[in-house]
Amino acid sequence: MTKTRKPLIINAFDMGTSGLQSPGLWKHPDDQSAKKDLDYWINLAKLLEKGKFNSVFLADVLGGYDVYNGPRNLKAAINSGAQWPVYEPSLFVPVMAAVTKNLTFGVTFSTVSEAPYHFTRRLATLDQLTNGRVGWNVVSSYLDSASRNTLNGADLPAHAERYERAEEYLQVVYKLFLSSWSDDAVKLDKESGIFTDHEKVREINHEGKFFKVPGPNIVSPTPQRLPVILQAGSSPSGKDFAARNAEIVFLTTFTPESLAGKIEEIKKIAKEKYGREEGSIKFLQLVTTVIGKTHEEAAEKYRHFKSFGDKEGASALFSGWTGINIGQFDPDQELRDVGSNAIRGVVENWTKEAPGDPPNLKKTRNYVADQITVGGLGPVLYGTKEEVADEIERWVDVSQVDGFNFTYAITPGTFEELVNELIPELRKRGLAWEDYPEEGLTFREQVFGTEGEDPSFVDPTHPAYKLRWRAGVSKEDFEASLNETTT
Amino acid sequence: MTKTRKPLIINAFDMGTSGLQSPGLWKHPDDQSAKKDLDYWINLAKLLEKGKFNSVFLADVLGGYDVYNGPRNLKAAINSGAQWPVYEPSLFVPVMAAVTKNLTFGVTFSTVSEAPYHFTRRLATLDQLTNGRVGWNVVSSYLDSASRNTLNGADLPAHAERYERAEEYLQVVYKLFLSSWSDDAVKLDKESGIFTDHEKVREINHEGKFFKVPGPNIVSPTPQRLPVILQAGSSPSGKDFAARNAEIVFLTTFTPESLAGKIEEIKKIAKEKYGREEGSIKFLQLVTTVIGKTHEEAAEKYRHFKSFGDKEGASALFSGWTGINIGQFDPDQELRDVGSNAIRGVVENWTKEAPGDPPNLKKTRNYVADQITVGGLGPVLYGTKEEVADEIERWVDVSQVDGFNFTYAITPGTFEELVNELIPELRKRGLAWEDYPEEGLTFREQVFGTEGEDPSFVDPTHPAYKLRWRAGVSKEDFEASLNETTT
């Protein structure tokens, strides 16, 4: 029974750190994650482009996982190398862009870490350098350890204020990218000597609750006009933020059924509250794969990976992700019963288990930490390439997910397996494209296609759409249209 | 008469903008400065490494030149493309690092633009990615247009406070780089499972007038431990800052005699006030070269370049650099007489003139703006390669300068001329090395040599020297030594 399939969005998920989702696996003899140097990024980019990956997504945090046995206790994270140290993600993009033509790049930047004017120029430079191959994963940070160091000692603002601030931050970034320079501002007219027409550049004069940014933007319009907006929020504010602004949403859950529910929920808010067009948000699920020639070989490989896992590191990650110090609980206590909504939310759909685990184990903190050591808070699909592809198909059928963020147990080993084993199998089934549709597409064109008037820009139901100063529109007319939009 | 020469430090001076020091020359048919895309940086890096350049220095501003006919008037800068738009410099470094082995990179970052913790990680990532080939040009910004947009609408702090703040900022960066992780903190011990020994990582707990940064640093010790510190200040506070902290100082003046005076002055402060070791600061002069097969051909080429110059753009740059709106003066008024110390300081040593200029011209604003259109506030040396090399020798003899920042009239044309014509001529005279001393040296080793105990670190008289937590020293002993240092 062959179904008509459309190619999935296939991303690699990496970070400027060793123990991204698999704390302790740097000890595996084939793992190179402890030394992500220039050659690592060059080789990874070439490998992913060879495998026809859409994109590499770079996660980031600017603080350590100090909640476990804390507050402010970094011992487990530091000793185990669980997302510690962490290098700056944006700087890996130019390396990878220099050796590829089609691979695109999603980069995590927090709205807490730097002034939006400064950040906008960094992001615009990435879009310009990569010729439109970049997206921004908007995060508002969840670790006090990050804000403490960047906000002069202050802890993070409360959750709701953080999202309010993030929303205003995004507005400033939109305005700088879209409302400061007209599409036809840059003339490069050698006759008149006009490089940029100063009548086509305006101050944005943003004055809000958190930011005052007069502008004008210091960079000219970039290939995508606005990099693709990515988001991974799973809290109520996060979902709302994603439903309004995101073009790609990252999710992670343990069952396709629960994934389906999350996707539906965000789609509903997007449609009903914000009037977003059907299909204007793509959803990706985090997953780790372990492939073997036989099911048993894959199971054995997975078990072997687990033997390198660091449970203390996993506990540090889990406590940071949930904001709850799980060190306070009995190691053998069922985590669903501990009275934390954050933890119950994570554990409720927990189906993750490694080969050989006895069935129906209690989800104790010990057990959960152990399972996190490979693949973190995402499922691990293991088996032959056909079995894993079957499972991918099941996830797609049940959840209608648009693609996957594939992360590693070991790197580049897991990515090599994807390129050489799983993706060719997905390709056979129509779940991966044969090749990039054409050379040099922008990130947005690769994901949403090249149809329409201006495929490299957001669709008309995106909140940034009307902020764009189009060619041929005078400053007065544009400002009048902006006033209409906001009133 | 052959003299014993030592090789000069030979740098290329570029920026993420078109009209760096030659406003208007983007109109020249061979100039590519208006499109500095990925390929531009790849090709430039390869060209410079082929020419055995030490380094490429990237200038930066995060605001427009709006002083001329201002305040807040960007018309001249925008229309002429005089440092407008400006892209973010750090992102060009990974591109160039990916295609070179020896070229080093000096990057401008302002102490006004972002939190020192956030910045330190960016700089550390560059040092890690390039394997120690990076330096930081410390600037405290001079354009209100920059701070207005990054400091929530505020104009720049007053000059003295800016340097006080910059000095504290630098202290925070030093501490994060050097005092937070011991040299032997990273163990990668697969037996014990220790990635980093948490006993070898400490909070810096910086609390000063401007910054409160608890730490610890989120990145591990980098190849140079601290990137090379570069500085270009020419004000009294700037000279003091350079004398204390800089390892390389950029200067620009129009005569080798005046250069000699500036070098002597900074050396004197460095030695007498800060006890810096002889030779621990290298000095570089900005220069633009125009080479021809004959003197006449070079003169004609220079005249031809000048014909593309944009005087309005030059006036915008000059007003921004001096902080004085020269639009207020009569175009034919002698600038030395206008009562501004900043302007008099610049114009007093003005010997710059283009071929064909009548002698003893008044330094009117019109004349000065016209001369700035090629080479900005640096001299233009033009002639045959032998003539220009002679002039270089004269500058070295008179000023004892250690090297030059070569910038472009057109790019990459001017750099190609350097690689193919001038540098081989300098090499003949012992003023340029035959090749890199060895492959993969750090920036500091290339400039200061590979002698000594730890040639990739600062010398013992540098203020950062004692902040370094060395291998084998316990946290307690290190903290005791820090207290000794500060008391």
Side-chain angles (χ1 to χ4, degrees), chain A residues 168-205:
Chain A
E168 189 186 327
Y169 191 99
L170 202 62
Q171 289 301 315
V172 177
V173 175
Y174 287 166
K175 288 182 191 176
L176 286 169
F177 264 103
L178 299 172
S179 305
S180 186
W181 294 55
S182 158
D183 285 352
D184 59 351
V186 176
K187 300 295 184 192
L188 292 177
D189 181 349
K190 294 188 179 186
E191 290 299 310
S192 63
I194 300 293
F195 190 114
T196 302
D197 180 355
H198 80 282
E199 302 277 4
K200 299 272 185 178
V201 177
R202 60 185 283 279
E203 296 194 332
I204 61 164
N205 289 317

Side-chain angles (χ1 to χ4, degrees), chain A residues 461-479:
Chain A
T461 65
H462 190 278
Y465 183 81
K466 289 186 176 159
L467 296 174
R468 177 174 176 179
W469 186 0
R470 304 248 170 201
V473 178
S474 72
K475 185 155 100 179
E476 292 65 33
D477 288 351
F478 175 64
E479 291 184 343

Side-chain angles (χ1 to χ4, degrees), chain A residues 192-196 198, chain B residues 19-27 64-70 73-84 306-322 324-332 364-374 376:
Chain A
S192 63
I194 300 293
F195 190 114
T196 302
H198 80 282
Chain B
L20 170 47
Q21 299 283 328
S22 297
L25 268 70
W26 59 269
K27 291 171 287 179
Y65 286 79
D66 63 357
V67 175
Y68 178 59
N69 291 333
N73 185 342
L74 282 165
K75 180 178 172 185
I78 292 179
N79 280 346
S80 69
Q83 301 198 7
W84 185 273
K306 288 263 316 290
S307 73
F308 294 97
D310 189 304
K311 283 204 272 187
E312 286 294 291
S315 300
L317 293 177
F318 188 82
S319 295
W321 288 329
T322 57
I324 309 291
N325 164 22
I326 62 167
Q328 69 188 296
F329 307 126
D330 187 295
D332 299 315
T364 65
R365 81 162 161 102
N366 243 348
Y367 176 77
V368 163
D370 187 51
Q371 295 300 344
I372 284 176
T373 58
V374 176

Side-chain angles (χ1 to χ4, degrees), chain A residues 18 26-29 34 36-38 41-42 60-64 72 74-75 78-81 84-92 94-95 97-98 113-115 117-118 121-122 124-126 128-129 133 148-150 152-153 181 188-190 193-198 201 203 205 210-222 310, chain B residues 18 26-29 34 36-38 41-42 60-64 72 74-75 78-81 84-92 94-95 97-98 113-115 117-118 121-122 124-126 128-129 133 148-150 152-153 181 188-190 193-198 201 203 205 210-222 310:
Chain A
S18 154
W26 59 268
K27 290 171 287 177
H28 190 286
K36 292 185 176 171
D37 58 8
L38 197 59
W41 296 107
I42 289 173
D60 189 35
V61 286
L62 186 54
R72 294 182 75 159
L74 282 166
K75 181 178 172 185
I78 292 180
N79 280 346
S80 69
W84 185 274
V86 182
Y87 286 84
E88 212 274 334
S90 73
L91 296 162
F92 310 136
V95 174
S113 300
E114 64 195 301
Y117 191 79
H118 186 255
R121 188 175 68 146
R122 296 212 291 145
T125 302
L126 286 176
Q128 188 259 0
L129 262 185
R133 294 191 274 151
R148 197 182 299 136
N149 280 300
T150 52
N152 260 352
W181 294 55
L188 292 177
D189 181 349
K190 294 188 179 186
I194 300 293
F195 190 114
T196 302
D197 180 355
H198 80 282
V201 177
E203 296 194 332
N205 289 317
F210 301 96
F211 302 105
K212 183 175 173 190
V213 185
N217 198 13
I218 194 166
V219 283
S220 44
T222 65
D310 190 305
Chain B
S18 154
W26 59 269
K27 291 171 287 179
H28 189 286
K36 291 184 178 172
D37 58 9
L38 198 60
W41 296 106
I42 289 173
D60 188 35
V61 288
L62 186 54
R72 295 181 74 159
L74 282 165
K75 180 178 172 185
I78 292 179
N79 280 346
S80 69
W84 185 273
V86 182
Y87 286 84
E88 212 272 336
S90 73
L91 296 163
F92 310 135
V95 174
S113 299
E114 64 196 300
Y117 191 80
H118 185 257
R121 189 174 67 145
R122 297 213 289 144
T125 302
L126 286 177
Q128 189 259 0
L129 263 185
R133 293 191 275 151
R148 197 184 298 136
N149 280 301
T150 52
N152 260 352
W181 294 55
L188 292 177
D189 180 348
K190 295 188 178 184
I194 300 294
F195 190 114
T196 302
D197 180 355
H198 81 282
V201 176
E203 296 194 332
N205 289 317
F210 302 95
F211 302 106
K212 183 174 173 189
V213 184
N217 198 13
I218 194 167
V219 282
S220 44
T222 64
D310 189 304

Side-chain angles (χ1 to χ4, degrees), chain B residues 233-405:
Chain B
S234 57
S235 67
S237 320
K239 284 174 194 161
D240 194 83
F241 187 91
R244 183 173 184 195
N245 293 292
E247 301 176 78
I248 296 179
V249 173
F250 308 151
L251 296 166
T252 183
T253 178
F254 295 105
T255 67
E257 292 76 15
S258 128
L259 178 61
K262 291 190 178 199
I263 292 174
E264 275 317 303
E265 192 186 349
I266 295 173
K267 280 189 172 173
K268 191 169 184 302
I269 306 170
K271 185 178 174 184
E272 295 179 3
K273 185 165 174 188
Y274 296 114
R276 298 280 301 278
E277 189 176 287
E278 179 71 27
S280 62
I281 307 177
K282 303 291 185 186
F283 296 87
L284 305 182
Q285 160 74 27
L286 179 72
V287 69
T288 303
T289 53
V290 182
I291 313 274
K293 292 210 191 325
T294 62
H295 184 83
E296 292 64 36
E297 188 188 295
E300 178 48 37
K301 198 189 257 187
Y302 185 7
R303 268 193 299 267
H304 189 59
F305 285 150
K306 288 263 316 290
S307 73
F308 294 97
D310 189 304
K311 283 204 272 187
E312 286 294 291
S315 300
L317 293 177
F318 188 82
S319 295
W321 288 329
T322 57
I324 309 291
N325 164 22
I326 62 167
Q328 69 188 296
F329 307 126
D330 187 295
D332 299 315
Q333 190 182 351
E334 170 60 67
L335 279 180
R336 272 171 296 203
D337 302 337
V338 300
S340 151
N341 285 335
I343 289 187
R344 190 179 305 111
V346 173
V347 179
E348 214 131 64
N349 289 297
W350 197 280
T351 61
K352 189 174 180 178
E353 51 186 47
D357 285 345
N360 303 318
L361 270 176
K362 271 168 56 182
K363 307 300 181 289
T364 65
R365 81 162 161 102
N366 243 348
Y367 176 77
V368 163
D370 187 51
Q371 295 300 344
I372 284 176
T373 58
V374 176
L377 283 189
V380 179
L381 310 185
Y382 66 97
T384 63
K385 59 187 177 184
E386 293 83 3
E387 286 171 341
V388 173
D390 287 348
E391 188 64 3
I392 293 276
E393 288 209 63
R394 188 173 76 85
W395 277 72
V396 173
D397 285 338
V398 174
S399 70
Q400 303 299 313
V401 73
D402 300 289
F404 293 85
N405 262 345

Side-chain angles (χ1 to χ4, degrees), chain A residues 19-20 34 62 105 133 253 259 265 318 415 419 422 452:
Chain A
L20 170 48
L62 186 54
F105 311 97
R133 294 191 274 151
T253 178
L259 178 61
E265 192 187 349
F318 188 83
F415 296 121
V419 170
L422 184 63

